Amino acid sequence: MSKKILVTGGTGYIGSHTVVELQNAGYEVIIVDNLDNSNIRILDQITKISGIKPQFYQLDLSEENKVIELAKAHPEISGVIHFAAHKAVGESVQLPLKYYRNNFFSLINLLTAFAGREVDFVFSSSCTVYGQPDQLPVTESAPVKKAESPYGNTKQVAEEILQETAEANTNYHVISLRYFNPVGAHASALIGELPIGVPQNLVPFITQSAIGKRGPITVFGDDYNTPDGSCIRDYIHVVDLAKAHVAAIKLLEDNRTIKYDVFNVGTGKGSSVLETIKAFESATGVKLNYKIGPRRAGDIEQVWGDVTKSAKELHWKAELGLDEMMRSAWAWEQYIAENPFE
Ligand code: UD1
């Protein structure tokens, strides 16, 4: 019988791509999502890609009783991949309690609900825990720097909660994946990122600008200490990122001695904002309008990941480059413009 994985936030951007990769790998999936920042139609899109409709619960994980009921109703669940969380950095500065309440209560309720049985748990963490690293590429053993925002703090503290819980509870086996910058969309162009309002992140802004939904792109600063003056990030294709979650579940299944571990999920290569704009133009043939603006408060100058540990121990490595990230992000933007969800 195939194993069953609970995916929280499974209709979201990274969650939906991970559901498809889990199904491709032969897992059965149950999705939990409150649809706060996602669309129910993603379920049909997943079904179009894989031919399998995942079981779905619309549920808010911050309601403890509901989470306990769900866990009781599904004693067959062997793994949990936890994506469901608020993630807007700027909003978290304005509304810290919204972030602490949702992100912590959801995590604690899940851990409480599954505490009585053997569960593999994979958590969505972020390279934001490193801040501006002292050494690049940054390895998993680099110090965790004081968080720049309540959002970043929820990731740091969640990692601690998970490590302490796994060490205290013999049933838990946990991996935190520290994502670099996820971009791109599924090759089918049937699922992708669906930002609400004006995108804060670079690639959704690029694609919306290219299709005429937004004005010119502003490059936030060209006076950084980098080769072309713009900030550098490690962009990772969302399908590669999704596969890292399958690899994490498999590693936990194969190696029962793991209590808690952390892996970087990036390509190991940095690209500047200007290089990313150029990559979009050359991958799609679409010319972009952009201007140079002031630096954005709180931005890190440059960060990219050392992915040696992920290659060696997680047996995972990114396969898709910047070209494919840009091409797929553009195909998705065009698809959703022609087939809007509402
Ligand atoms: C941000 C968060 C990070 C979070 C991630 C979630 C900060 C400091 N970091 O990452 O913690 O995990 O989002 O997706 O907020 N840029 C432009 N013009 C734009 C938009 C972005 O030049 O219109 C630049 C930024 O200055 C940055 C790069 O593009 O150098 C990437 O920005 P973005 O996509 O927002 O991601 P991060 O800031 O790296």
Side-chain angles (χ1 to χ4, degrees), residues 161-197:
I161 292 173
L162 282 161
Q163 179 161 17
E164 289 161 359
T165 305
E167 278 162 8
N169 182 329
T170 50
N171 296 326
Y172 272 120
H173 305 272
V174 181
I175 286 178
S176 289
L177 297 179
R178 291 178 176 163
Y179 313 154
F180 285 71
N181 286 54
V183 299
H186 193 262
S188 65
L190 290 169
I191 53 174
E193 190 168 6
L194 269 177
I196 293 178

Side-chain angles (χ1 to χ4, degrees), residues 48-280:
K48 279 184 209 162
I49 298 171
S50 66
I52 308 160
K53 188 161 189 156
Q55 215 174 329
F56 175 73
Y57 289 90
Q58 183 172 353
L59 186 149
D60 194 322
L61 295 170
S62 56
E63 294 182 51
E64 187 181 18
N65 289 343
K66 300 246 170 87
V67 187
I68 289 174
E69 266 172 45
L70 174 82
K72 272 205 191 121
H74 291 283
E76 77 283 15
I77 290 173
S78 63
V80 176
I81 305 183
H82 181 41
F83 294 103
H86 292 324
K87 61 171 186 180
V89 179
E91 186 191 44
S92 80
V93 176
Q94 303 302 317
L95 300 170
L97 292 180
K98 174 176 172 180
Y99 277 67
Y100 289 127
R101 187 180 302 113
N102 182 68
N103 294 7
F104 289 148
F105 286 5
S106 300
L107 175 67
I108 291 165
N109 291 343
L110 271 173
L111 290 173
T112 306
F114 286 94
R117 58 210 220 211
E118 281 276 311
V119 172
D120 300 331
F121 200 101
V122 179
F123 176 65
S124 290
S125 190
S126 165
C127 69
T128 194
V129 303
Y130 299 123
Q132 177 61 62
D134 301 326
Q135 278 184 339
L136 288 168
V138 63
T139 65
E140 289 85 349
S141 57
V144 166
K145 298 260 176 87
K146 183 172 165 35
E148 293 267 354
S149 67
Y151 157 78
N153 204 27
T154 65
K155 293 297 176 195
Q156 293 187 1
V157 177
E159 284 197 11
E160 290 173 355
I161 292 173
L162 282 161
Q163 179 161 17
E164 289 161 359
T165 305
E167 278 162 8
N169 182 329
T170 50
N171 296 326
Y172 272 120
H173 305 272
V174 181
I175 286 178
S176 289
L177 297 179
R178 291 178 176 163
Y179 313 154
F180 285 71
N181 286 54
V183 299
H186 193 262
S188 65
L190 290 169
I191 53 174
E193 190 168 6
L194 269 177
I196 293 178
V198 182
Q200 304 301 307
N201 297 114
L202 178 63
V203 174
F205 199 97
I206 288 178
T207 56
Q208 290 198 5
S209 173
I211 211 155
K213 216 169 149 183
R214 308 279 162 209
I217 300 145
T218 304
V219 175
F220 295 147
D222 71 345
D223 57 351
Y224 284 99
N225 186 24
T226 60
D228 66 20
S230 63
C231 290
I232 296 177
R233 297 288 183 274
D234 184 344
Y235 296 96
I236 165 93
H237 197 298
V238 67
V239 172
D240 277 333
L241 174 54
K243 288 178 180 167
H245 295 78
V246 179
I249 287 285
K250 290 209 158 126
L251 178 62
L252 290 171
E253 284 171 1
D254 292 347
N255 186 344
R256 302 313 287 166
T257 62
I258 296 175
K259 289 306 300 167
Y260 181 81
D261 211 345
V262 180
F263 294 97
N264 281 344
V265 185
T267 62
K269 184 178 171 298
S271 306
S272 73
V273 177
L274 291 167
E275 283 169 345
T276 307
I277 289 174
K278 295 277 170 273
F280 179 86

Side-chain angles (χ1 to χ4, degrees), residues 28-47:
E28 273 184 71
V29 177
I30 302 179
I31 294 177
V32 180
D33 205 302
N34 65 359
L35 302 178
D36 177 65
N37 190 25
S38 62
N39 193 297
I40 189 68
R41 293 195 47 194
I42 289 292
L43 271 189
D44 293 330
Q45 301 295 93
I46 291 172
T47 313

